[in-house]
């Protein structure tokens, strides 16, 4: 027994482990540590091992993480399959408990204090959810095309999301949308994604364009695509010009009569009324796709008005963040302050950066949350574009390698799990880095391996090493076959 | 395309978006580098102490005193106790709020002055409290130990936006000389500001020097200036003119150095220093006698009879009169509308005409000059006269080192052509012969005339500064003799007349001091505002003169009433160092002149 385990262990470390990925992981963790050191550097406490400082603590967390990573590698891979549901349940309990006994930090009640150690259960739930999702979807009878199974997935993802939302930690909740990535790999209907992309673009456009212009765009786009499919160019042209003429006619008549018509209002009324003749036309010409575009048009219009409604329901700081992202409002002293300072820090880094510990913007606290959510500012400022590119490249390679690990798996469990890890990493990197350079709204989620914090570092480490362990397991079995 | 491939593309695309955006803000857009510097660098100006001013005997006229300006960077400000600050500084909370609002309107990032010129005590009280965003900078302010020479020395004030726009040296809150010597020698006195580039954190707290002080510069203190003014004499002059409106200018003829430049009424220059400056300034502005109007260089007065010297000299040079030429006087000049004269012996020669200040005599001389047949026309003759007069320094700035000098006025033939439509002659302009009419001279120009006569034909450009620390010499123009168009030999008869006026029972007997050999010429100038102006031109001693003085007292009646005694006292004090006639001093001081012209305007 002992002998065989040693034997297994020996082979495990000899070939199965993807050492390149582990190397990238170690590199990223080390870089993260150095950047936290630089971000909160204090001459009075210059030792990176001073645990009175954040960098000292991060050193401790790195030690703990590496130990846990080692434990993960040494455990048999079947445990992850077995423990998936129990861990998921346990973590949800912990999450729910946070609602009761947790403490509020920065407006989110997501922390549990165990003596001197602060724990953020939401971080670990990502890991357990990934395991549970893999377990669920790798069940023998599971099919992604069955509505019941899709509902199960929804429940599995929505429960932690809901609890986290109750904690008022919107950022961490949104992370769960990343699992859509996995579902696509596993064959979820592609139209859903297309629809999602359309919804998102509509959302963005509804902020960037005036309502009247957006409406014109929708009418033209729907008619155009319809005509592309059906070839009824003449009728389409007649329709568009008819709508235009009627709109203008009513508009000017209304104005002349002094009824205070707006162009947008008239156009909306005319286009909605025009759907009746369009429907009649489609029935007579037996063009079924016309109905599809009709519905699409109606749906889009409804959605844009819902967007306005939803936006009105948001909290002011969320509204400001969105307006700021789209450059509609630019209050650099208020809502836009963080992002502006973050952009200044990164932008001032230039091509090669200011050098280690020479970053002025981060060192002198112009950037908020510089060791946690905005840690990438230190990277950008001190290591410049070159350094930032290296970090991004490492993340990109790591994520692609994890996806490859997934593809190498013999069992769907491993594949789904690996894709989940890749999805969570991708989402975190994109949203976190994107927010520091103003391409994403400010959503407070950590940058994997970089942001200060034990919970997130340990949870990302667990996510990663279980993938490596599963991958190593597959290889271990190959020669036996 | 397989789903795996699509997902890989998505991953790469996400990173491409991030990388390209990073490339844009880090490499292409320089805006963020600039803003980063704005964030962390604070340029702290190091003000040099302003140069001090001494009088010709080494006595302080202007000193520099330690002072502090309270500055604010609105962006770094935290809510604070306005009441506490107002108690500490002794100003109203409203004033503090108003000034902070103004500073914020100017710039949130750049420092502005909240309250200038705190005393050392106020500063140390302020240091005990903590007001984030506020700090003090070391400045120097002026103090005037003798409290003399307000208009002469001028004042220092905060630089105006107009100047900042024109001269990049000045920044908001800097001080600049606004008038007098302070303005004329601004560049020497101000020194060179230094700058300390500091790195600050987000709270505006200094974290140290930027790049180990590589971009710092040390302030260079302003140069000290030795003035030509005699503080003792200046103080005496101001004392004598107290309560009167007028001016005294005394020049050392052999150098052009201005010994005294009194413009009365004057003011205590210390009043234009410190935080009450604004109030005092408005008070002075509101004073109908206009104490801030530097009459010594800016007032245009009719020179009156003192101008007869000029006409006499021109006449001799032109050969239309000789010292022994006599003209009759029948209580005046009777041609045309006539010019009145007082009763005296008749006929007179030139010397006695100067002594008795005969109006008729100079009417003859003046008309002889203008109507000189060799020039063919009145117009041409007048132009010749004009050129002579200008060579005496009239009708133009003397180009002294004193800023704000006015031209005065010497009429031209074109002027009369225009006014009389070309139909005029020497009789039309005959009042110029006795220094009336369109003539306008500044007291400085008149003192310069005294110096010219004392020098028998030339002058050095009058100036108020003797030397500037660190400079070998003044501008070369101050070392050059400027000759008039009248030869030296013609001056002696005029000097003789001036000597007789004082010593031989002439118009200026009152100016006589035994042994000083004072030469003088009185003037009584008619003017449209009230009683005649009293004026006196003099120098002493007759040979190798050491001082030339012009005294002009508005509405002082006869030249001999005020101007001559004042000039005599000034000369005596300068030459002997003491005053032997205290009763004359009292008499001058007691003299009550009526300035209804000014005081009427108060209502």
């Amino acid at each position: 027994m002992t002998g065989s385990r040693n034997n297994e262990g020996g082979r495990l470390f000899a070939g199965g482990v993807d050492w390149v990925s582990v190397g990238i992981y170690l590199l990223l963790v080390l870089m993260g540590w150095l950047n936290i050191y630089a971000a909160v550097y204090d001459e009075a406490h210059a030792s990176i091992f001073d645990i009175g400082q954040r960098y000292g603590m991060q050193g401790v967390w790195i030690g703990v993480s590496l130990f846990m990573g080692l434990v993960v590698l040494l455990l048999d891979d079947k445990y992850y399959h077995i423990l998936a549901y129990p861990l998921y349940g346990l973590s949800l309990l912990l999450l729910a408990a946070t609602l009761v006994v947790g403490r509020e930090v920065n407006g989110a009640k997501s922390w549990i204090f165990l003596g001197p150690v602060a724990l953020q259960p939401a971080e670990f739930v990502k890991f357990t959810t990934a395991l549970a999702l893999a377990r669920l979807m790798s069940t023998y009878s599971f099919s992604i095309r069955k509505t019941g199974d899709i509902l199960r997935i929804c429940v599995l993802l929505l429960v932690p999301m809901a609890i986290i939302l109750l904690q008022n930690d919107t950022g961490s909740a949104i992370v769960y949308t990343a699992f859509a990535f996995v579902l696509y790999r596993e064959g979820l209907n592609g139209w859903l994604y297309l629809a999602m992309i359309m919804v998102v673009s509509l959302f963005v456009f509804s902020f960037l364009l005036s309502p009247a212009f957006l409406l014109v765009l929708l009418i033209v786009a729907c008619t155009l695509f319809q005509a592309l499919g059906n070839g009824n160019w003449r009728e389409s042209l007649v329709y568009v010009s008819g709508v235009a003429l009627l709109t203008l006619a009513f508009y000017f008549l209304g104005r002349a009569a002094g009824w205070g018509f707006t162009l947008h209002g008239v156009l909306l009324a005319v286009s909605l009324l025009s759907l009746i003749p369009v429907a009649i036309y489609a029935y007579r010409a037996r063009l079924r796709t016309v109905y599809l575009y009709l519905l699409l048009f109606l749906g889009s219009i409804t959605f844009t008005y819902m967007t306005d409604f939803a936006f009105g329901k948001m909290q002011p700081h969320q509204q400001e963040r969105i307006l700021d992202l789209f450059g509609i409002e630019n209050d650099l002293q208020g809502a836009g302050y963080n992002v502006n300072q973050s952009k200044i820090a990164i932008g001032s880094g230039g091509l090669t950066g200011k050098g280690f510990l020479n970053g002025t913007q981060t060192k002198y606290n112009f950037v908020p949350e510089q060791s946690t959510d905005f840690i990438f500012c230190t990277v950008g400022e001190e290591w410049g574009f070159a350094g930032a590119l290296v970090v991004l490249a490492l993340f990109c390679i790591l994520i692609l390698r994890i996806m490859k690990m997934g593809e190498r798996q013999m069992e769907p469990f491993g594949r789904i799990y690996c894709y989940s890890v890749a999805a969570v990493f991708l989402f975190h990197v994109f949203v976190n880095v994107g927010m520091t350079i103003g391409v994403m709204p400010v959503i407070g989620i950590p940058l994997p391996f970089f942001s200060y914090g034990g919970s997130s570092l340990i949870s990302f480490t667990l996510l990663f090493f279980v993938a490596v362990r599963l991958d190593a397991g597959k290889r271990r079995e190959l020669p036996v076959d | 395309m397989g789903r795996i491939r699509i997902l890989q593309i998505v991953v790469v695309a996400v990173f491409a978006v991030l990388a390209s955006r990073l490339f844009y803000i880090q490499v292409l857009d320089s805006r963020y580098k600039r803003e980063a510097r704005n964030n962390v660098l604070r340029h702290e100006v190091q003000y040099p102490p302003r140069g001090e001013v001494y009088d010709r005997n080494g006595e302080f006229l202007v000193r520099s005193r330690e002072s502090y300006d309270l500055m604010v960077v609105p962006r770094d400000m935290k809510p604070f106790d306005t009441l506490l600050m107002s108690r500490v500084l002794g100003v109203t909370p409203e004033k503090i709020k108003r000034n902070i609002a103004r500073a914020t309107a100017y710039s949130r990032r750049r420092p502005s002055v909240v309250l200038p010129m705190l005393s050392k005590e106020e500063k140390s009280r302020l240091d005990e409290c903590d007001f984030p965003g506020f700090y003090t900078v070391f400045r120097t302010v002026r103090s005037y130990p003798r409290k003399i020479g307000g208009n002469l020395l001028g004042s220092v004030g905060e630089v105006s936006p107009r100047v900042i726009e024109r001269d990049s040296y000045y920044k908001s809150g800097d001080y600049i000389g606004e008038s007098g010597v302070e303005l004329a020698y601004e560049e020497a006195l101000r020194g060179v500001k230094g700058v300390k580039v500091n790195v600050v954190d987000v709270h505006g707290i200094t974290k140290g020097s930027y790049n180990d002080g590589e971009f710092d510069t040390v302030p260079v203190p302003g140069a000290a200036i030795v003035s030509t003014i005699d503080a003792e004499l200046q103080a005496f002059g101001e004392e004598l003119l107290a309560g009167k409106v007028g001016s005294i200018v005394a020049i050392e003829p052999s150098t052009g150095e201005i010994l005294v430049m009194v413009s009365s009424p004057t003011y205590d220059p210390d009043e234009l220093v410190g935080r009450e400056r604004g109030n005092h300034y408005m008070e002075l502005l509101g004073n109908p006698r206009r104490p801030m109007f530097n009459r010594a260089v800016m007032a245009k007065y009719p020179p009156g009879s003192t101008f007869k010297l000029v006409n006499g000299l021109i006449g001799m040079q032109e050969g239309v009169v000789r010292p022994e030429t006599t003209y009759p006087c029948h209580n005046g000049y009777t041609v045309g509308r006539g010019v009145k004269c007082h009763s005296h012996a008749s006929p007179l020669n030139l010397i006695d005409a100067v002594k008795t200040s005969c109006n008729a005599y100079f009417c003859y001389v003046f008309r002889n000059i203008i109507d000189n047949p060799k020039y063919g026309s009145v117009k041409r003759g007048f132009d010749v006269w004009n050129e002579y007069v200008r060579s005496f320094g009239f009708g133009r700035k003397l180009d002294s080192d004193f800023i704000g000098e006015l031209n005065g006025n010497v009429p031209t033939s074109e002027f009369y052509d225009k006014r009389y439509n070309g139909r005029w002659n020497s009789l039309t302009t005959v009042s110029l012969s006795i220094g009336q009419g369109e003539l306008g001279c500044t007291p400085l120009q008149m003192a310069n005339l005294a110096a010219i006569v004392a020098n028998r034909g030339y002058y050095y450009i009058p100036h108020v500064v003797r030397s500037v620390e660190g400079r070998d010499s003044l501008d070369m123009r101050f070392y050059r003799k400027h000759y008039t168009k009248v030869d030296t030999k013609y001056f002696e008869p005029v000097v003789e007349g001036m000597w007789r006026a004082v010593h031989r029972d002439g118009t200026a007997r009152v100016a006589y001091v035994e042994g000083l050999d004072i030469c003088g010429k009185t003037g009584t100038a008619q003017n449209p505002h009230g009683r005649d102006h009293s004026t006196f031109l003099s120098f002493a001693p007759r040979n190798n003169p050491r001082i030339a003085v012009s005294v002009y007292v508005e509405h002082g009646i006869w030249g001999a009433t005020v101007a001559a005694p004042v000039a005599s006292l000034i000369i005596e004090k300068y030459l002997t160092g003491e005053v032997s006639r205290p009763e004359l001093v009292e008499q001058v001081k007691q003299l009550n002149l009526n300035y209804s012209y000014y005081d009427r305007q108060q209502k």
Side-chain angles (χ1 to χ4, degrees), chain A residues 342-363:
Chain A
S342 153
K343 284 200 276 190
I344 290 173
I346 295 175
S348 68
L351 189 61
T352 53
K354 298 176 184 170
F356 185 53
L357 296 184
N358 289 335
T360 51
Q361 308 300 305
T362 43
K363 193 157 71 179

Side-chain angles (χ1 to χ4, degrees), chain A residues 247 249-255 258-266:
Chain A
T247 305
F250 279 118
Y251 174 65
F252 285 115
L253 274 174
R255 291 291 290 247
W259 289 337
F261 280 6
T262 64
L263 205 55
H264 173 227
V266 178

Side-chain angles (χ1 to χ4, degrees), chain A residues 122-203:
Chain A
E123 293 297 330
F124 295 102
V125 179
K126 282 175 224 168
F127 167 57
T128 59
T129 305
L131 280 176
L133 186 71
R135 171 80 192 267
L136 172 69
M137 289 176 68
S138 59
T139 318
Y140 178 69
S141 61
F142 181 88
S143 166
I144 195 119
R145 290 183 219 294
K146 284 196 288 191
T147 317
D149 285 343
I150 293 177
L151 277 177
R152 263 181 224 150
I153 296 172
C154 287
V155 171
L156 191 129
L157 294 177
L158 286 177
V159 170
M161 259 178 111
I163 304 176
I164 294 170
L165 275 176
L166 282 177
Q167 293 175 352
N168 203 18
D169 186 1
T170 322
S172 298
I174 295 174
V175 172
Y176 290 84
T177 59
F179 287 101
F181 189 84
V182 189
L183 301 182
Y184 182 73
R185 167 64 186 83
E186 295 305 312
L188 192 63
N189 193 338
W191 288 105
L192 276 173
Y193 290 86
L194 206 64
M196 271 314 290
I197 290 169
M198 281 191 56
V199 163
V200 170
S201 351
L202 260 179
F203 179 79

Side-chain angles (χ1 to χ4, degrees), chain A residues 351 385, chain B residues 17-29:
Chain A
L351 189 61
F385 178 64
Chain B
V17 165
L18 294 179
S20 52
R21 173 74 178 161
L22 274 171
F23 184 71
Y24 178 74
I25 72 168
Q26 291 192 289
V27 181
L28 297 183
D29 195 344

Side-chain angles (χ1 to χ4, degrees), chain A residues 184 188 341 361 364 380 385 437, chain B residues 3 21 26 36 39 199 202:
Chain A
Y184 182 73
L188 192 63
Q341 289 300 335
Q361 308 300 305
Y364 297 132
F385 178 64
I437 55 180
Chain B
R3 292 194 165 209
R21 173 74 178 161
Q26 291 192 289
N39 263 345
V199 179
V202 69

Side-chain angles (χ1 to χ4, degrees), chain A residues 190-418:
Chain A
W191 288 105
L192 276 173
Y193 290 86
L194 206 64
M196 271 314 290
I197 290 169
M198 281 191 56
V199 163
V200 170
S201 351
L202 260 179
F203 179 79
V204 172
F205 281 135
S206 71
F207 280 100
L208 295 184
L209 306 176
S210 74
F213 188 67
L214 189 64
L215 194 56
V216 171
L217 210 67
L218 276 173
I219 294 170
V220 172
C222 285
T223 318
L224 190 73
F225 282 115
Q226 182 277 137
L228 274 172
N230 296 327
N232 51 351
W233 290 101
R234 254 185 54 165
E235 288 85 345
S236 302
L237 201 65
V238 168
Y239 171 71
V240 172
S241 29
V243 169
L245 281 174
L246 278 172
T247 305
L248 289 175
F250 279 118
Y251 174 65
F252 285 115
L253 274 174
R255 291 291 290 247
W259 289 337
F261 280 6
T262 64
L263 205 55
H264 173 227
V266 178
L267 182 60
L268 184 64
V270 169
S271 56
L272 284 178
L273 284 173
S274 77
L275 295 183
I276 298 164
V278 168
I280 294 168
Y281 162 77
Y283 177 72
R284 288 204 182 144
R286 290 159 198 254
L287 292 172
R288 284 177 58 198
T289 52
V290 173
Y291 294 121
L292 196 71
Y293 283 104
L294 216 129
L295 285 174
L296 191 67
F297 179 71
L298 269 174
S300 300
I301 288 181
T302 318
F303 178 76
T304 49
Y305 289 98
M306 270 168 55
T307 305
D308 282 351
F309 178 74
F311 185 76
K313 290 276 169 201
M314 278 186 195
Q315 289 177 18
H317 76 274
Q318 289 167 331
Q319 290 181 351
E320 279 166 5
R321 283 174 183 180
I322 289 170
L323 291 179
D324 196 68
L325 176 72
F326 293 130
I328 294 166
E329 257 174 31
N330 235 346
D331 176 15
L332 295 185
Q333 295 305 322
Y337 176 82
N338 289 1
V339 175
N340 187 49
Q341 289 300 335
S342 153
K343 284 200 276 190
I344 290 173
I346 295 175
S348 68
L351 189 61
T352 53
K354 298 176 184 170
F356 185 53
L357 296 184
N358 289 335
T360 51
Q361 308 300 305
T362 43
K363 193 157 71 179
Y364 297 132
N365 304 325
F366 287 95
V367 180
E369 303 293 334
Q370 49 191 323
S371 59
T372 54
D373 291 349
F374 283 90
I375 186 69
F376 194 71
C377 294
T378 312
V379 180
E381 188 182 13
E382 298 195 345
W383 304 108
F385 178 64
L389 208 59
V390 167
V391 171
L392 288 184
L394 287 176
F395 271 119
C396 187
I397 294 167
L398 189 68
I399 289 168
L400 290 173
R401 281 193 85 92
I402 293 172
M403 284 162 71
K404 189 145 261 169
M405 286 178 197
E407 295 301 332
R408 282 204 297 249
Q409 293 289 321
M410 300 196 63
E411 300 285 336
F413 176 80
R415 184 181 67 233
I416 294 163
Y417 178 78
C418 285

